[in-house]
């Protein structure tokens, strides 16, 4: 890595303008087991260098898998020619990038070597056992699937204005699914976990056996559960549902490129957008959650990772920035520029997005709820730049007079994110990042995480109309 960094650095010395070079090597391994059989085992290696040039506010980009001096020089020349050509047609408000603090040195997240040294056969045996335990947990389970995926990321990020960062990290994820069937009815239970770090970091919340039991039990419970009645309701959202809301319905609206395109967050800095009980942040690295699924120490522009407080006690405080949008707004970049592969240009992307915990226990919140629902097990959904959202949930539990009384299946929740957050009247001290197995899509994928505490709010619950 150091020799390659020196070679790329020597090529950049000839750059005629501001230039960024990013070497990225990704190695992946995955296995998939269904009904006791290994259905897929796959390994993949991708590596190359992406080069960006900035000429009078216009960007030019080129990438190559040819890591020779000649290959790198050709990519630099093509990127510069592209930027020059575009600069003649584009009237840019930001001609050059202002000086900022840039990363220098090596940035290695814990667990890379340990995961690399662990034999794939050992991981496969664990996956086979987990699938078997899921399938045999109940006679109602008709089929089950367990998959495991891991990624090893190696990067070199160099810029002509001072970034010189070498980073290494490993990510892994496990997905368990069980399908139960009885008397013509079917239901699916899922459990997923994704982390950044060694094999063991996947099991800090639950063992693999407990994950199997959770997926199977959910499928069986939902098989017997009725559909939830619909209408406006008091909801207690689980950390996973809070993470989905934070990422999809809030996080994307405060990405500065979306803000400049007219998202609902445009012009709202310094204004109240949520209950004073709500504080929401996006961080590259959390000391209390070091294995978060979206952890990074430095972004793909060479900006050190940091914790950005987006909403503080209900007030919108910050957008998420790359270097260009930070210059436009006159603020420091937040370390949110990320690219999926070497041939992708960095975009503004979230990392680990979460609501901060409160001071009540979940039990206290449930006991103080006269009538409502505890919503858990997200099934994805959609949100747009207006903050309007609709998310699916596998499991909904009815609360009556402070007690959980019934389980329902197959619900949706919907609303406008800032309106819903403005109704929050309780926030738990329990806290979990719970979406680390997910991928965010925005022209290209990104590995992210999201979560928070349990929160009580008002939103539309979709189900069977009473």
């Amino acid at each position: 890595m150091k020799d390659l960094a020196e070679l790329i650095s020597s090529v950049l010395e000839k750059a005629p303008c501001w230039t960024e070079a990013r070497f990225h090597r990704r190695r992946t391994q995955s296995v998939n087991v269904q009904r006791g059989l290994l259905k897929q085992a796959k390994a993949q290696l991708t590596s190359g260098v992406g080069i960006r040039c900035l000429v009078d506010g216009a960007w030019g980009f080129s990438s190559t898998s040819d890591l020779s001096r000649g290959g790198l020089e050709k990519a630099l020349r093509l990127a510069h020619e592209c930027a020059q050509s575009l600069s003649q047609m584009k009237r840019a408000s930001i001609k050059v990038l202002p000086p900022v603090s840039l990363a220098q040195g090596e940035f290695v997240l814990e667990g890379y070597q340990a995961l690399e040294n662990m034999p794939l056969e050992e991981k496969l045996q664990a996956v086979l056992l987990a699938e078997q335990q899921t399938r045999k947990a109940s006679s109602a389970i008709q089929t089950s699937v367990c998959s495991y995926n891991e990624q090893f990321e190696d990067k070199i990020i160099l810029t002509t204005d001072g970034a010189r960062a070498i980073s290494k990290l490993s990510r892994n994820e496990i997905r368990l699914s069980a399908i139960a069937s009885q008397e013509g009815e079917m239901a699916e239970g899922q459990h997923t976990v994704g982390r950044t770090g060694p094999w063991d970091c996947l099991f800090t919340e639950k063992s693999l056996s407990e994950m199997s039991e959770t997926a199977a039990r959910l499928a069986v419970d939902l098989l017997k559960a009725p559909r939830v009645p619909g209408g406006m309701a008091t909801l207690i959202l689980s950390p996973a549902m809070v993470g989905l809301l934070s990422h999809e319905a809030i996080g994307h609206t405060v990405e500065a490129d979306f803000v400049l395109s007219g998202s609902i967050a445009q012009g709202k800095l310094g204004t109240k957008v949520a209950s004073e009980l709500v504080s929401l942040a996006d961080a590259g690295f959390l000391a209390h959650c070091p294995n978060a699924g979206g952890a990074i120490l430095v972004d793909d522009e060479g900006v050190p990772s940091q914790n950005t407080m987006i909403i503080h006690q209900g007030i919108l405080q910050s957008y998420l920035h790359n270097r260009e949008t930070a210059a436009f707004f006159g603020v420091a970049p937040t370390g949110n520029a990320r690219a999926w592969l070497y041939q992708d240009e960095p975009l503004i992307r979230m990392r680990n997005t979460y609501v901060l915990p409160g001071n009540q226990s979940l039990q206290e919140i449930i006991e103080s709820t006269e009538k409502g629902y505890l919503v858990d097990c997200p099934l994805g959904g959609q949100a747009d730049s207006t903050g309007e959202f609709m998310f699916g949930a596998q499991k909904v539990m009815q609360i009556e007079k402070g007690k959980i009384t019934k389980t329902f299946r197959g619900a949706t929740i919907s609303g406008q994110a800032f309106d819903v957050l403005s109704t929050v009247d309780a926030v738990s001290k329990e806290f979990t990042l719970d979406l680390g197995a997910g991928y965010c899509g925005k022209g290209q994928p990104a590995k992210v995480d999201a979560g928070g505490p349990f929160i009580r709010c008002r939103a539309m619950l979709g189900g069977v109309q009473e």
Side-chain angles (χ1 to χ4, degrees), residues 202-346:
L202 290 168
F203 313 113
T204 54
E205 301 287 335
K206 292 183 177 182
S207 69
L208 196 47
S209 293
E210 289 170 332
M211 292 182 195
S212 299
E213 181 184 346
T214 297
R217 185 172 63 248
L218 179 59
V220 173
D221 288 349
L222 294 181
L223 191 63
K224 307 169 186 175
R227 299 287 179 177
V228 69
M232 185 63 69
T234 296
L235 307 178
I236 299 174
L237 303 183
S238 72
M241 297 301 301
V242 170
L244 190 60
L245 178 68
S246 301
H247 177 95
E248 295 289 355
I250 300 293
H252 281 304
T253 70
V254 298
E255 291 171 335
D257 51 352
F258 278 1
V259 173
L260 291 172
S261 297
S263 82
I264 188 67
Q266 189 178 71
K268 285 187 165 55
L269 287 179
T271 67
K272 187 176 182 182
V273 296
S275 160
E276 64 183 14
L277 296 178
V278 175
S279 292
L280 184 146
D282 181 79
F285 184 80
L286 292 83
H288 62 288
C289 297
N291 301 117
I296 58 172
L297 295 177
V298 58
D299 80 357
D300 288 330
E301 291 183 330
V303 176
S305 176
Q306 57 191 278
N307 191 326
T308 301
M309 190 65 66
I310 298 169
I311 298 173
H312 179 62
Q313 296 179 356
I315 306 299
L316 184 62
Q317 283 201 333
S318 178
Y319 301 136
L320 302 178
H321 292 285
N322 61 12
R323 291 188 64 180
E324 184 178 27
T325 62
F328 180 87
F329 283 93
V331 297
T334 56
N336 285 87
R338 302 180 64 192
W340 179 240
L341 292 170
Y342 74 90
Q343 62 263 48
D344 296 315
E345 293 187 69

Side-chain angles (χ1 to χ4, degrees), residues 28 62 100 132-133 150 162 300 319 346 348 354 360 434:
T28 64
S62 180
V100 296
Q132 181 186 65
Q133 290 176 330
E150 62 186 19
D300 288 330
Y319 301 136
I348 299 173
Y354 59 97
Q360 290 184 270
D434 210 11

Side-chain angles (χ1 to χ4, degrees), residues 70 72-82:
L72 296 172
E73 290 175 345
K74 180 181 178 181
L76 172 59
R77 183 172 66 254
L78 291 173
H80 180 245
E81 289 173 356
C82 180

Side-chain angles (χ1 to χ4, degrees), residues 96-164:
V96 296
L97 297 177
V100 296
S101 176
L102 294 169
Q104 297 184 345
E106 294 192 19
F107 301 84
V108 181
L109 282 170
E110 176 257 347
Y112 183 105
Q113 202 66 51
L115 186 65
E116 186 177 45
N117 290 342
M118 183 179 176
L120 182 61
E121 292 78 6
E122 189 175 340
K123 300 163 188 171
L124 174 59
Q125 288 304 312
V127 170
L128 285 163
L129 179 59
E131 187 277 330
Q132 181 186 65
Q133 290 176 330
T134 305
R135 180 164 30 92
K136 293 187 174 182
S138 167
S139 59
I141 302 296
Q142 298 300 304
T143 188
S144 58
V145 180
C146 184
S147 62
Y148 171 76
N149 180 68
E150 62 186 19
Q151 302 173 359
F152 298 91
E153 309 271 5
D154 303 278
K155 292 185 179 181
I156 301 168
I157 302 162
L158 301 167
T159 64
T160 50
D161 61 349
R164 187 181 177 89

